[in-house]
Amino acid sequence: MAGVHFSKKRAILCLACAIGALLPALPAAGQDGALRGTLDASEDRFLAQAVGEDSGTGIPSPGYTPTSPGALPEEPDAGLPLAEDDALPADAEAEPALPEEAERAEQLEGEPEDIVTRAVPAGAVGQEELSRRQNLRQRAITGRDFDREENPYAPLGLRLGNVVVRPSIEQGLTWTSNADDSPDGEEAVLSETTLRLNATTDWSRHRAALDASTTFRKSLSGEEVRETEGDARATLEFDIAAGLTGRASLGYSFGRERASSPVSIAGVEDQPLRHTIDGSVGIGKDVGPLRLRATGEVIRNQYGDAELVGGGTLSQADRNSTLALLRLRGGYEVSPALTPFLEVEAGRRFYDQERDSAGYARSATRLGARAGVTLDLSEKLRGEVSAGWISEDFEDDRLEAVSGPTLAASLEWSPLRGTIVGLNASTYVEGSTTAGESGSLLHSATLRLERQMRSNLTGSLAFGVSYRDYSGGGHDLILNGEAALTWWVNRYVGLTGRARHERQTSDLPGRDYETTSVFMGMTLQR
């Protein structure tokens, strides 16, 4: 029965330790203090019984026999009579103490008595407990800073699988002082409808995008106008491998030629319709700081027949041509924000007819070179600008080569949040069907300012200048400006107003004109 008797003492000792661990958490005054004192006295009595002392005196109880350090007494405590079954046999040996019990007894003998009741610091236990808790205290909802949308009136679009489609329609009325942009044009009020479609993918590796728009105009009063124009462009970007990328694009545009066209046809009811199809495929490779790129491009221009005033048509087939180009570019990344580059191009322009109606062979060889720099200063400044030289040399020796300096730019600068300043510039080689005339170089530049004045109010200003240099002598200067304002009633409905003025002056007779127009309408988007 020694094991049974020894287990009772062990239980008494464990209970005393548990009471001691609870004491530091209790107040020391008032009724709580009294309770603490009671617990202290109870602890002392339990401990005295465990070590064989008379409670309250610290004197060993009668019958207590000291044992070796680390072992509890073999004899029962005084005042606790044993039953017959509990009596130890004469030849019974004491049960050996466990290592944990021996260590605890040694601490009790070597330390003051108050150490027995010392508890583990509550702070450490509290931190461990907090780390396991899931229902931690949360801030009040009224005190939180909610994340706001950068543009709460931007279209949400429609998701079709991995493609997001954003359609819109703009309907309004336009008043113009010159309905056909001609030297003797008359004013008119037009109904104008524009359909737009934007689609982008959210693929993890590659990217595709589509932008398309179509505009219908019809006279409600004044000079008769009925025309349609539009454009579409699809681009696809490939991430082939580390440092190796690919890009492909396909575009289409159509519309009637304006009075600003270098080829002006007199005595026609409507100017010919022009169709342009272009496609390109390119590949780029990064080798350390080197940026290498090769691009192949094909541009097709095709013209419809011009409708004569007295009836009949005038064919424009001798103006149809295809231009094939190859561009090679090499750049060196000085820093992630600055990459100077050099680019050369070579190509051939093929006319459908070997000779035009005047007997000239207008197919030509194109050569060009330019130098520039690519900028990438995050959202502040991004794009590229370059300058160079271009030349087209015709097969017919009677035609002088069209050549001259070129300027190209595509930059966006954001001096303030919500403000974007953009610059676009380009140079084109334009053909001609006039006998003895080679063509012209058209230099164009547009400066654009967009400002988000409020989250639902956006304004823009644009100023453009174009300069046409004819190879046979003469110049055209085209100036235009536009101001626009859009107020969004909500994310889906907006009111738009635009005012535009354009003026062309020329050294050649019969080419000056001036046009002013005002548009008011509504935009619906999704």
Side-chain angles (χ1 to χ4, degrees), residues 503-523:
R503 181 178 182 179
Q504 174 174 289
T505 57
S506 177
D507 295 343
L508 305 178
R511 291 188 55 80
D512 294 351
Y513 73 90
E514 190 171 354
T515 301
T516 300
S517 61
V518 177
F519 171 85
M520 291 294 294
M522 177 182 291
T523 301

Side-chain angles (χ1 to χ4, degrees), residues 82-96:
L82 296 177
E84 285 186 31
D85 295 340
D86 292 337
L88 294 175
D91 57 348
E93 295 183 2
E95 182 179 355

Side-chain angles (χ1 to χ4, degrees), residues 304-319:
D305 296 339
E307 299 179 5
L308 301 176
V309 175
T313 60
L314 180 61
S315 175
Q316 300 294 302
D318 56 354
R319 300 175 62 187

Side-chain angles (χ1 to χ4, degrees), residues 249-364:
S249 69
L250 180 65
Y252 170 68
S253 64
F254 68 96
R256 294 198 179 275
E257 286 195 304
R258 296 289 179 180
S260 59
S261 170
V263 179
S264 123
I265 305 173
V268 296
E269 187 71 25
D270 291 312
Q271 294 292 329
L273 193 63
R274 175 179 176 175
H275 302 266
T276 300
I277 303 174
D278 67 90
S280 65
V281 177
I283 188 170
K285 176 65 176 176
D286 296 343
V287 183
L290 294 179
R291 301 293 179 262
L292 307 176
R293 189 171 71 186
T295 304
E297 184 176 7
V298 177
I299 303 173
R300 169 71 178 175
N301 290 321
Q302 186 162 337
Y303 297 84
D305 296 339
E307 299 179 5
L308 301 176
V309 175
T313 60
L314 180 61
S315 175
Q316 300 294 302
D318 56 354
R319 300 175 62 187
N320 298 339
S321 66
T322 302
L323 175 64
L325 288 173
L326 176 63
R327 294 190 178 95
L328 300 177
R329 173 186 288 198
Y332 187 86
E333 187 181 79
V334 179
S335 70
L338 185 64
T339 305
F341 66 86
L342 292 174
E343 183 176 281
V344 295
E345 68 176 47
R348 178 78 175 174
R349 187 187 297 275
F350 305 91
Y351 278 84
D352 291 359
Q353 296 184 3
E354 185 177 352
R355 295 185 179 272
D356 62 11
S357 57
Y360 289 88
R362 294 188 174 273
S363 294

Side-chain angles (χ1 to χ4, degrees), residues 161 234 367 376:
L367 296 174
D376 188 359

Side-chain angles (χ1 to χ4, degrees), residues 52-75:
E53 293 180 350
D54 187 9
S55 61
T57 64
I59 301 174
S61 300
Y64 172 74
T65 304
T67 60
S68 61
L72 292 176
E74 297 177 357
E75 298 295 331

Side-chain angles (χ1 to χ4, degrees), residues 88-109:
L88 294 175
D91 57 348
E93 295 183 2
E95 182 179 355
L98 297 177
E100 297 84 5
E101 296 169 344
E103 182 179 356
R104 180 61 179 166
E106 186 176 358
Q107 291 178 357
L108 291 177
E109 291 182 2

